[in-house]
């Protein structure tokens, strides 16, 4: 066991792509965590395939380094707002945070969010101005904006008196003074962590107590809980008391004990470097993993039976803002390209996900074909869909929809986001025009002097659904768009949806070049010659507002008559291949995304064209009757 005064617990928080995971790579090298001849991958903390492919951190991860006898527990957190639930729960593990700020971009929306959460918990951050070696970096301006952000968020005088380090996480050096210069290493960071981060406030002699802040799952061990030992010592095989608490009112002014059960610690793990190692005991102040209880939830208290009435407030996790339905695949290709799952299997997989993802909600609304899944944003749900797809599952998902609430007066409220856009001056007009149609309210506009404009918007969440890909197209891939959820506001009114219809197949078979050549003049295709299609499948985006029925499998008639176009060469445009993210953004209300291991397709909810037309007529009649009733 390590004495509490020799332990430092710290989290690294920042906006996406500001260099958190890259800095941890340099920390590992500086602390000699791996042997000299070990082959270590870049961004070693991003161990999942999706994290490496997308270059983002999805799950918060815990690692440990040793420096001059000190045990430093470091938690790497996601920078994307859709995974902010990972940040909320791990901040209770640590005693300080390293706030990374890009020297060129300065504070961004997620910087504000994670800093606000840290300040509310009374933590004193350490500010690291990263990427100062870039040609357009402005460390002084980035620091000034960061200090203004501290003041704006209501930081105390003590919290505003933060230490500042400058450097490059990629190159592996940080210094306290850029002008003075220093050795190109991380000595200044380790020294600041030891001197500035307080040791855990823990009493090793008191009865054992800890609160679960992180969840994991093992097919062999079951549910695994992680937390910081607040007091006492935990030994493998100890008898424990598991206590669950809840808020007594929506304002969260008080809490009460829901129930209390006996439990035991069957397996105990501590972290060394990146690996969990089984341990016999662990002391106060350390971060540990343990298994034993059948069910562990976020915020559960585990204590020694000698400790009477343990009581700590539950951990705060903000509610989801976006939902969609996960449905059993009922299409003609079900079971041909992957494992066609039943509703029971679909529920079991989603419930297993909720054991580790505390920001995810699964609701069974009684539908015979699927369940409702809610999350923090489109990307949050799209990552889950992609993971299930890679596991070999086949299923369908509906269009993402916002989650609304009503206030005490019965007024309808919808989620609102703060939107920050960096866009070249040449494309500002089309961006402002599109956001105005999506009920965006321009709050500020600033020119950085480098040809980029920074636009700050307040916009409803539903206005952003389906806009990100359109934004990249409008700005030729040069724009940067980031957002974060800021709360609920009164309903903004009706909003224009997708301006173009779909090319819908009327028949099944294999797509032919002969048919696709004619279809590509009517819109943008999603498929290539030889791709299988079925009736009701969406094969492209129509150039007009309404849907267009078509037959992409139509073949050229073979006769004994000479054709005037027999020697004509067929030239096809490159099709737009949809992935999970782009398909979820594009589909309409009457469409589904069919997900299989090798393919992502878009289809109509009702495949039969006659039934689809009959349903549209019924819906139109219902709307007319409702309008007449209102009149």
């Amino acid at each position: 066991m390590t004495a509490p005064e020799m332990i430092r617990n710290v989290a690294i928080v920042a906006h996406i792509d500001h260099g958190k995971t890259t800095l941890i790579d340099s920390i590992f090298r500086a602390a000699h965590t791996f042997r000299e001849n070990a082959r270590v991958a870049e961004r070693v903390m991003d161990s999942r395939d999706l994290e490496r492919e997308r270059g983002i951190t999805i799950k918060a991860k815990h690692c440990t380094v040793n420096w001059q006898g000190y045990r430093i527990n470091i938690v790497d957190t996601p920078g994307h707002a859709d995974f902010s639930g990972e940040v909320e729960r791990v901040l209770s593990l640590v005693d300080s945070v390293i706030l990374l700020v890009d020297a060129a971009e300065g504070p961004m929306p997620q910087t504000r969010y994670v800093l606000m959460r840290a300040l509310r918990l009374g933590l004193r951050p350490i500010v690291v101005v990263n990427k100062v070696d870039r040609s357009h970096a402005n460390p002084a301006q980035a620091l000034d904006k960061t200090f203004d952000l501290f003041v704006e968020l209501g930081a105390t005088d003590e919290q505003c008196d933060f230490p500042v380090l400058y450097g490059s996480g990629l190159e592996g050096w940080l210094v306290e003074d850029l002008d003075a210069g220093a050795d190109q290493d991380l000595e200044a960071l380790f020294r600041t962590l030891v001197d500035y981060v307080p040791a855990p406030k823990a009493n090793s002699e008191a009865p054992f107590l800890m609160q679960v802040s992180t969840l994991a799952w093992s097919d062999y061990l079951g549910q695994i809980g992680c937390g910081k030992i607040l007091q006492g010592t935990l030994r493998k095989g100890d008898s424990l008391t598991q206590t669950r608490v809840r808020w007594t009112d929506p304002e969260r002014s008080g809490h009460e004990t829901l129930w209390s059960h006996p439990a035991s610690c069957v397996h105990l793990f501590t972290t060394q470097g990146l690996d969990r190692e089984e341990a016999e005991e662990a002391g106060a102040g350390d971060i540990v993993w343990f298994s034993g209880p059948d069910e562990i939830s976020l915020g559960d208290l585990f204590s020694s039976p000698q400790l009477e009435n343990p009581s700590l407030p539950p951990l705060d996790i903000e509610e989801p803002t976006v939902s969609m339905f996960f449905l059993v695949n009922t299409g003609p290709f079900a079971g041909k390209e992957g494992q066609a799952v039943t509703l029971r299997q679909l529920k079991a997989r989603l419930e297993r996900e909720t054991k580790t993802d505390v920001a995810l909600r699964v609701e069974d609304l009684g539908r015979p074909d699927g369940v409702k899944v809610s999350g923090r944003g489109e990307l949050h749900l799209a990552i889950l869909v992609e993971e299930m797809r890679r596991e070999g599952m086949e299923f369908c998902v509906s269009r993402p929809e916002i989650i609304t609430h009503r206030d005490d007066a019965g007024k309808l409220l919808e989620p609102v986001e703060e939107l920050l856009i960096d866009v070249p001056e040449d494309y500002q007009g089309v961006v402002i025009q599109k956001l105005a149609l999506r009920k965006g309210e321009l709050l500020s506009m600033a020119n950085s002097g480098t040809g980029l404009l920074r636009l700050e918007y307040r916009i409803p969440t539903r206005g952003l659904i389906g806009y990100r890909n359109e934004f990249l197209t409008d700005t030729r891939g040069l724009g940067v768009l980031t957002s974060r959820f800021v709360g609920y506001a009164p309903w903004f009114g009706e909003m224009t949806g997708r301006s173009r219809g779909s090319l819908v197949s009327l028949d099944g078979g294999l797509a032919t070049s002969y048919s696709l050549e004619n279809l590509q003049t009517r819109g943008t295709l999603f498929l290539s010659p030889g791709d299988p299609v079925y009736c009701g499948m969406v094969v492209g985006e129509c150039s007009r507002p309404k849907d267009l029925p078509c037959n992409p499998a139509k073949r050229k008639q073979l006769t004994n008559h000479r054709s005037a176009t027999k020697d004509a060469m067929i030239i096809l445009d490159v099709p737009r291949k949809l992935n999970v993210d782009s398909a979820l953004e594009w589909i309409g209300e009457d469409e589904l995304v069919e997900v299989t291991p090798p393919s992502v397709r878009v289809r109509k909810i009702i495949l039969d064209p006659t039934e689809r037309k009959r349903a549209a007529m019924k819906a139109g009649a219902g709307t007319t009757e409702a309008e007449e009733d209102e009149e």
Side-chain angles (χ1 to χ4, degrees), residues 447-491:
N447 196 322
S448 63
T450 59
L452 288 178
L453 281 179
R454 173 162 291 185
L455 309 175
E456 185 178 351
Y457 273 88
R458 179 175 175 267
I459 187 171
T461 300
R462 62 191 170 104
L464 286 179
I465 294 177
Y467 177 64
R468 296 180 189 273
N469 277 346
E470 189 178 339
F471 170 78
L472 290 176
T473 302
D474 291 340
T475 61
R476 306 299 186 267
L478 300 176
V480 178
L481 179 150
T482 54
S483 64
R484 73 175 185 94
F485 169 71
V486 293
Y488 283 83
W491 184 260

Side-chain angles (χ1 to χ4, degrees), residues 87 94 127 191 302 395 413 552 626:
V87 181
V94 299
V127 175
R191 190 167 58 249
F302 286 88
F395 56 98
L413 305 176

Side-chain angles (χ1 to χ4, degrees), residues 193-205:
L193 290 176
V194 169
D195 295 342
Y196 188 79
V197 177
K201 296 177 181 177
N203 183 359
S204 301
E205 305 302 324

Side-chain angles (χ1 to χ4, degrees), residues 355-631:
K355 294 181 183 295
T356 58
D357 190 344
V358 296
L360 197 71
R361 301 284 186 276
V362 178
E363 300 174 71
D364 187 355
L365 300 182
R367 285 186 60 158
D369 59 343
V371 293
K372 183 180 180 181
V373 181
S374 305
R376 285 293 181 84
E378 285 178 275
L379 183 61
H380 185 196
L381 298 175
I383 290 291
L384 173 60
V385 171
E386 185 67 33
E387 287 179 344
M388 293 171 63
R389 172 195 177 195
R390 295 188 181 200
E391 293 169 9
M393 302 177 74
E394 281 189 7
F395 56 98
C396 293
V397 291
S398 68
R399 186 174 187 263
E401 296 179 348
I402 60 166
I403 299 174
T404 58
H405 296 287
R406 291 193 179 271
D407 59 12
D408 297 336
K411 193 178 234 182
L412 187 63
L413 305 176
E414 65 174 316
V416 176
E417 305 207 12
E418 173 194 337
L419 180 65
L420 205 63
I421 293 177
D422 289 324
V423 61
E425 295 176 354
D426 296 342
Y427 305 114
Q428 60 173 311
V430 65
V431 171
I432 293 173
Q433 178 190 3
K434 293 285 182 69
L435 289 177
L437 295 174
R438 293 173 175 267
K439 305 295 184 182
E441 178 186 347
L442 182 61
L443 301 179
S444 68
M445 179 188 297
N447 196 322
S448 63
T450 59
L452 288 178
L453 281 179
R454 173 162 291 185
L455 309 175
E456 185 178 351
Y457 273 88
R458 179 175 175 267
I459 187 171
T461 300
R462 62 191 170 104
L464 286 179
I465 294 177
Y467 177 64
R468 296 180 189 273
N469 277 346
E470 189 178 339
F471 170 78
L472 290 176
T473 302
D474 291 340
T475 61
R476 306 299 186 267
L478 300 176
V480 178
L481 179 150
T482 54
S483 64
R484 73 175 185 94
F485 169 71
V486 293
Y488 283 83
W491 184 260
F492 280 70
E494 292 302 319
M495 191 179 300
T496 56
R498 199 177 75 197
S499 60
R500 296 185 177 184
S502 304
L503 298 175
V504 187
S505 175
L506 289 173
D507 201 357
L510 298 179
T512 63
S513 302
Y514 171 75
S515 180
L516 296 184
E517 183 185 25
N518 296 324
L519 279 179
Q520 70 182 5
T521 62
R522 305 293 186 92
T524 304
L525 297 177
F526 296 158
L527 74 170
S528 303
D531 289 347
V533 296
Y534 56 82
C535 180
M537 176 176 161
V538 176
V539 299
E541 181 182 64
C542 185
S543 57
R544 298 190 177 187
K546 293 186 178 181
D547 292 347
L548 177 68
C550 63
N551 183 8
K554 182 180 179 181
R555 296 180 176 275
K556 187 175 183 180
Q557 294 296 325
L558 300 178
T559 68
N560 59 352
H561 295 283
R562 183 171 297 179
S563 170
T565 59
K566 78 179 185 68
D567 293 326
M569 182 179 296
I570 296 177
I571 301 176
L572 296 177
D573 298 334
V574 177
R576 185 206 302 176
K577 291 294 185 181
L578 296 177
N579 56 24
V580 172
D581 300 64
S582 58
L584 286 176
E585 288 190 356
W586 184 81
I587 61 171
E589 294 180 358
D590 62 337
E591 295 167 348
L592 298 174
V593 178
E594 180 184 335
V595 179
T596 68
S599 308
V600 176
R601 302 184 183 93
V602 177
R603 51 161 282 190
K604 291 293 182 179
I605 296 177
I606 303 174
L607 297 178
D608 184 78
T610 306
E611 292 294 328
R612 193 161 60 244
K613 192 177 297 184
R614 188 175 293 131
M617 292 174 64
K618 277 187 181 179
T623 304
T624 305
E625 291 172 5
E627 290 173 352
E628 290 176 356
D629 291 342
E630 287 180 4
E631 292 176 359

Side-chain angles (χ1 to χ4, degrees), residues 61-298:
K61 301 175 192 68
H62 166 216
C63 64
T64 302
V65 297
N66 297 299
W67 183 78
Q68 295 186 1
Y70 287 89
R71 178 180 172 85
I72 304 175
N73 293 309
I74 303 174
V75 182
D76 182 24
T77 62
H80 199 287
D82 280 18
F83 309 108
S84 52
E86 298 285 316
V87 181
E88 293 166 350
R89 59 188 173 85
V90 301
L91 288 181
S92 61
L93 288 172
V94 299
D95 303 297
S96 183
V97 295
I98 300 173
L99 179 68
L100 247 68
V101 179
D102 191 297
E105 295 182 352
M108 297 287 278
Q110 187 69 359
T111 312
R112 171 187 290 269
Y113 175 79
V114 295
L115 179 60
M116 176 184 66
R117 302 291 301 193
L119 295 177
R120 283 182 183 176
L121 292 172
L123 303 179
R124 297 177 59 196
I126 299 168
V127 175
V128 173
V129 182
N130 194 25
K131 304 182 183 181
V132 298
D133 52 342
R134 289 192 170 184
S135 57
H136 55 287
N138 191 339
Q141 185 182 38
L143 181 59
D144 288 344
K145 290 182 178 179
T146 304
F147 183 79
D148 293 342
L149 185 58
F150 269 74
V151 175
E152 186 180 338
L153 294 176
T156 64
D157 293 343
E158 187 180 30
Q159 289 172 327
C160 287
D161 186 20
F162 50 81
V164 183
L165 298 174
Y166 305 88
S168 169
L170 180 63
E171 299 295 332
W173 61 272
L174 291 173
V175 295
E176 295 179 359
D177 187 353
L178 270 177
D179 298 328
D183 295 333
Q184 301 289 295
D185 57 23
L186 294 179
E187 186 78 13
L189 175 62
F190 288 125
R191 190 167 58 249
T192 303
L193 290 176
V194 169
D195 295 342
Y196 188 79
V197 177
K201 296 177 181 177
N203 183 359
S204 301
E205 305 302 324
F208 168 74
L209 175 65
M210 72 173 287
Q211 186 172 31
V212 174
S213 302
T214 303
L215 300 173
W217 176 263
S218 168
D219 291 335
Y220 304 100
L221 304 179
Q223 190 80 62
I224 301 175
C226 174
K228 180 173 69 174
I229 300 179
L230 302 175
Q231 63 183 43
T233 302
L234 178 61
R235 296 178 179 84
K236 187 177 176 181
D238 276 357
S239 296
L240 305 172
T241 299
Q242 180 180 2
T243 305
R244 186 161 296 175
V245 292
R246 67 177 178 185
W247 296 109
T248 55
D249 50 38
E251 288 73 26
R252 301 183 175 182
S253 57
H255 60 278
E256 63 181 1
T257 299
L258 190 60
W259 52 256
S260 186
H261 293 319
S264 63
C265 175
V266 178
H267 295 275
L268 178 64
F269 303 91
T270 58
T271 306
Q272 297 295 333
L274 289 171
D275 303 321
R276 293 181 202 159
E277 295 184 354
E278 197 150 1
E280 293 299 321
E281 63 177 359
D286 206 355
I287 298 174
V288 298
W289 301 80
F290 73 98
S291 68
D294 293 335
E295 181 186 351
I296 304 175
S297 292
L298 189 76

